[in-house]
Amino acid sequence: MDGGVPYNPRTVEEIFRDFKGRRAGMIKALTTVVVVADVEEFYQQCDPEKENLCLYGFPSEQWEVNLPAEEVPPELPEPALGINFARDGMQEKDWLSLVAVHSDSWLLSVAFYFGARFGFDKADRKRLFNMINDLPTIFEVVTGAAKKQTKEKSLVSNHSGNKSKSNSKVASFFLTTVSLYRGSEPLPKYSKAVPSKDEDDDGLEEEEEEHGETLCGACGESDGADEFWICCDICEKWFHGKCVKITPARAEHIKQYKCPSCSNKRARP
């Protein structure tokens, strides 16, 4: 899992070059911008029946799907774990967008890991971020938002300063990232109803009898007000969404949910 000869970038320019190489490799895996065969191969390698898999990008502009590093702590920050489990429960474009968001987060963590390791000061960190921020995020490339931003920039009047443009792009990055995860309301299919204060006593008693003793299969805790729950379609256990890292928005796209325990059982017959 070396992706070529390993090296440790030490300057802002070297770390930015490392960032661009890793980013280019991951874009190959997640889009058809470079080679269609790459994204097809990536999709096939992310079999939900396999164990927890990660997407790695390398400075050589190559990508790899592999198990996480065994050493603890790892040499570098690790990418998101288990990207393959959600593949068949979502539309392909939504799944690729979700992996893209995690990939952007990983690239930033690696870049600033090097910066912290080699003692970057405030000026160096700011310069590195500005260089990175001038590039579209992987999420923006995968969803096509990068092209839209290019068109919008061409319409911006000349009196708009560089500072306002920079702030707009930073806001766009965070807003598009948040929008992927944000759910409007808990889904009736997955969330467990929590009785409101306005219900009469009979309604409260019925809800308590139905849900009062239900415990989360992950943390062992019972119901809480305004909690989002999801039920495993295999073992039929209920879980807090936050305990299994499932949001209402993500649950919308899951046809059959398998909890982490059931996923591991399927991966190890």
Side-chain angles (χ1 to χ4, degrees), residues 189-209:
K189 180 179 178 182
Y190 296 98
S191 60
K192 296 181 64 179
V194 178
S196 64
K197 294 181 179 180
D198 295 333
E199 291 179 336
D200 55 30
D201 294 339
D202 293 337
L204 286 172
E205 290 175 1
E206 290 176 1
E207 287 296 326
E208 288 174 357
E209 289 176 2

Side-chain angles (χ1 to χ4, degrees), residues 12-216:
V12 172
E13 289 73 18
E14 288 176 345
I15 292 175
F16 181 59
R17 189 160 55 247
D18 178 273
F19 176 93
K20 287 200 301 181
R22 296 177 189 274
R23 172 181 172 274
M26 300 178 103
I27 287 176
K28 288 179 183 178
L30 297 172
T31 72
T32 57
V33 172
V34 185
V35 182
V36 176
D38 276 287
V39 70
E40 293 176 350
E41 178 64 20
F42 171 69
Y43 188 86
Q44 293 301 321
Q45 288 189 27
C46 291
D47 185 350
E49 299 300 323
K50 295 181 180 179
E51 296 188 41
N52 295 298
L53 295 175
C54 303
L55 172 61
Y56 293 89
F58 299 110
S60 59
E61 300 189 4
Q62 300 300 312
W63 61 272
E64 181 181 60
V65 173
N66 211 330
L67 295 171
E70 294 182 359
E71 61 267 25
V72 178
E75 182 180 356
L76 291 176
E78 283 291 295
L81 181 68
I83 59 172
N84 51 314
F85 291 150
R87 191 197 72 176
D88 292 347
M90 307 174 67
Q91 294 290 330
E92 181 177 352
K93 64 178 182 178
D94 293 330
W95 175 69
L96 291 173
S97 297
L98 181 62
V99 177
V101 169
H102 286 296
S103 299
D104 283 321
S105 300
W106 178 66
L107 288 176
L108 286 171
S109 68
V110 171
F112 283 90
Y113 162 80
F114 284 128
R117 180 176 178 182
F118 297 113
F120 279 15
D121 59 18
K122 180 179 179 180
D124 288 334
R125 292 193 302 271
K126 183 176 181 179
R127 189 155 68 94
L128 176 59
F129 175 78
N130 287 337
M131 293 171 72
I132 290 173
N133 198 47
D134 282 337
L135 295 173
T137 64
I138 298 178
F139 175 81
E140 289 170 340
V141 174
V142 170
T143 59
K147 293 182 179 179
K148 293 179 182 179
Q149 287 183 6
T150 302
K151 292 180 180 179
E152 289 173 358
K153 281 184 178 180
S154 66
L155 300 176
V156 175
S157 58
N158 293 329
H159 69 270
S160 298
N162 292 331
K163 183 176 179 180
S164 63
K165 290 181 181 178
S166 176
N167 290 339
S168 175
K169 184 168 183 179
V170 174
S172 174
F173 169 75
F174 285 105
L175 287 174
T176 51
T177 301
V178 170
S179 67
L180 184 66
Y181 290 97
R182 179 185 288 168
S184 57
E185 294 293 337
L187 304 177
K189 180 179 178 182
Y190 296 98
S191 60
K192 296 181 64 179
V194 178
S196 64
K197 294 181 179 180
D198 295 333
E199 291 179 336
D200 55 30
D201 294 339
D202 293 337
L204 286 172
E205 290 175 1
E206 290 176 1
E207 287 296 326
E208 288 174 357
E209 289 176 2
E210 183 178 355
H211 301 300
E213 297 301 321
T214 302
L215 301 179
C216 173

